[in-house]
Amino acid sequence: MIKYWVLYLLFAVVFVGVVRIVDRIHNDHLLMQTKDSVYLDNDKERAQFVSEIVHKYILKPDQSLSVSEDGLSPYIYGYADLNNNGSDEVFILMQNEEYCTEKGCQGFLFSHVQKKLAQWKNIYQPILVADESHNGWRDILVADDNKMYRLEYNTGHYLTDVNKAPEFNNHQQALVAVGLALDSQYYRNGGSNLALNYSQPIFDCQQCFLFSFNRYEESDKNYYLSVNTDDKTVMPYP
C-alpha cells in the first residue's frame, strides 16, 4: 500500500511540473503576442517604435531631428501587414531637408522586428497599399515626378528604383472620388474650393482619397474629407 502511495505522489509531482511548464510556455507565447500587438494597436507605442527605428537605423551618429519652423514633422509613418503574416510592416517617410531634395524625400520600409526591407529616394505622398499582390506581398503605390508608380515584390525584395516601376493610373477613381465629395452633405453645406490633398495617411487604401475645402463663411480655414470609392463613404478628416 505504501508503494502505491509513493508512486501516486511521484506521478502527481511530475504532472504538476509538466502543467506548470506548459502554462509558462503558453504565458510566454501570450506575452510575445501582447508585445507585438502593443506596437501595432497603441498609437503611443507605434510612435515610440518608429522613433527607435529612425534613431538606430536612419539617422547619422549624433544627429538629432527637430520640427521645422513651419511645423513640419521630421518624418511621418504608416503601418500595414503587407505579407499577411499577422505582423505589420512600417513605412517611414523622412521630411527634413537632409533627407529630401526638390524631387522628393527618402522612404524606408521596416519589418515588425526593425529589419530594413527597402529604401527609396525622391518619393512623396500619397503612399498607398495597392489591392494587387506579387509573391505574397501587397504592392506599394508611391508618387514621384508627378506620377504614381506601383512597387512590386519580386526576387525577395521590393523594387527600389521607382523609374523602373510600372505607372499606376487612378484618374478614373479620382473622378469618382470628386463626385462623391461634391455630393456629400459636408460639402453641400456651404463648401467651396474642393481640391485633392496628397497628405493622406501613409499606407492608406488604393481607393482612398483626401480632399481639402473651405466654407463660404470661413474662406481662410481648411476642412478635410476622406473619401473611399470602394464603399462610397465620405467622412470628415481627421
Side-chain angles (χ1 to χ4, degrees):
M1 180 67 68
I2 295 176
K3 180 187 293 186
Y4 289 117
W5 275 107
V6 170
L7 290 175
Y8 176 80
L9 181 61
L10 179 62
F11 174 78
V13 170
V14 172
F15 178 77
V16 171
V18 171
V19 170
R20 286 182 176 179
I21 292 173
V22 172
D23 186 60
R24 181 173 180 178
I25 292 173
H26 177 68
N27 287 338
D28 287 345
H29 179 65
L30 289 178
L31 181 61
M32 290 176 63
Q33 288 184 325
T34 303
K35 184 177 180 182
D36 285 342
S37 66
V38 164
Y39 284 127
L40 304 179
D41 298 332
N42 182 286
D43 289 340
K44 182 178 179 180
E45 294 294 338
R46 284 188 175 197
Q48 181 180 350
F49 185 72
V50 172
S51 178
E52 290 177 1
I53 292 176
V54 170
H55 286 85
K56 286 182 180 179
Y57 305 110
I58 297 179
L59 297 184
K60 301 173 184 177
D62 301 324
Q63 183 182 6
S64 61
L65 294 176
S66 59
V67 177
S68 64
E69 294 181 357
D70 57 2
L72 189 68
S73 173
Y75 58 85
I76 52 178
Y77 59 89
Y79 282 86
D81 185 0
L82 298 174
N83 58 352
N84 198 30
N85 69 345
S87 298
D88 284 2
E89 285 70 43
V90 57
F91 195 107
I92 303 171
L93 181 67
M94 304 300 291
Q95 295 192 121
N96 65 321
E97 59 182 12
E98 292 190 42
Y99 294 88
C100 298
T101 68
E102 59 182 12
K103 295 182 179 180
C105 299
Q106 294 186 41
F108 300 83
L109 181 67
F110 284 85
S111 73
H112 72 289
V113 293
Q114 300 187 349
K115 176 183 177 181
K116 187 169 76 171
L117 303 176
Q119 178 177 349
W120 295 271
K121 294 181 178 180
N122 300 329
I123 62 172
Y124 48 85
Q125 294 170 277
I127 298 170
L128 311 174
V129 177
D131 292 340
E132 295 185 14
S133 301
H134 286 82
N135 299 298
W137 289 72
R138 297 278 291 275
D139 296 350
I140 300 175
L141 306 176
V142 302
D144 179 32
D145 195 24
N146 294 319
K147 298 178 182 178
M148 292 290 293
Y149 293 90
R150 180 188 297 275
L151 303 176
E152 301 173 358
Y153 189 92
N154 290 303
T155 62
H157 58 82
Y158 277 102
L159 180 65
T160 55
D161 188 347
V162 178
N163 293 322
K164 295 181 180 180
E167 288 188 28
F168 172 74
N169 188 328
N170 66 342
H171 295 163
Q172 188 62 39
Q173 287 297 313
L175 291 176
V176 173
V178 169
L180 290 170
L182 289 173
D183 195 45
S184 69
Q185 58 176 324
Y186 310 105
Y187 189 78
R188 286 190 284 109
N189 186 23
S192 64
N193 301 324
L194 185 75
L196 270 171
N197 187 294
Y198 297 112
S199 60
Q200 65 194 97
I202 289 183
F203 276 172
D204 214 350
C205 71
Q206 176 178 312
Q207 299 87 3
C208 296
F209 297 83
L210 183 66
F211 293 90
S212 63
F213 70 99
N214 307 119
R215 296 192 186 281
Y216 289 113
E217 67 274 13
E218 298 177 289
S219 59
D220 59 340
K221 183 178 180 179
N222 286 330
Y223 293 86
Y224 298 91
L225 291 176
S226 177
V227 178
N228 187 319
T229 59
D230 184 33
D231 57 20
K232 312 301 182 186
T233 57
V234 181
M235 297 295 295
Y237 179 85

